[in-house]
Amino acid sequence: NSGKSFLGICLGFQLLFESSSEFGNTKGLGILKGTINSFDSKKVKSIPHVGWNKAKVKNRKLNLINDSELYYFVHSFYAKPKDRKIVYTTTVADNFAFCSSIIYKNIYGCQFHPEKSGKQGLNFLKKFLQI
């Protein structure tokens, strides 16, 4: 509510949503409409999704991500926002595309770990701090 920028990373990103299927049906903070779902083993063969992957920019509101670079992921659940307009990037794991980051007002969230993503992750954090 203060208007200050907020960045949720991985679990901090997932907690922003209404609910999660992890540990049964668990309530989230409900700041963003949508759910956190487990990857379907029929669609994603490698669970957890671990390693380097691209984050394709879908919304050019900001220039935080270079979608030709790789970012580090480690997770078994993915966000499914109700409002697709808040999706900033998507990522593909085994031909399954999922929301990998969002922008909503002053709230930013990413499923990948910028702090573990080398130079491109540091650039992401530097750009975020300049918002």
Side-chain angles (χ1 to χ4, degrees), residues 88-120:
Y88 180 51
T89 63
T90 59
T91 295
V92 177
D94 296 328
N95 295 318
F96 179 74
F98 63 91
C99 169
S100 53
S101 69
I102 60 92
I103 297 175
Y104 174 71
K105 298 181 182 179
N106 59 319
I107 300 169
Y108 304 80
C110 56
Q111 186 61 64
F112 58 87
H113 287 268
E115 78 283 6
K116 295 181 180 186
S117 296
K119 183 179 176 182
Q120 56 275 19

Side-chain angles (χ1 to χ4, degrees), residues 72-92:
Y72 187 76
F73 289 82
V74 56
H75 61 115
S76 298
F77 293 79
Y78 67 96
K80 188 173 182 182
K82 284 186 182 172
D83 183 358
R84 299 296 298 164
K85 293 178 196 164
I86 71 170
V87 175
Y88 180 51
T89 63
T90 59
T91 295
V92 177

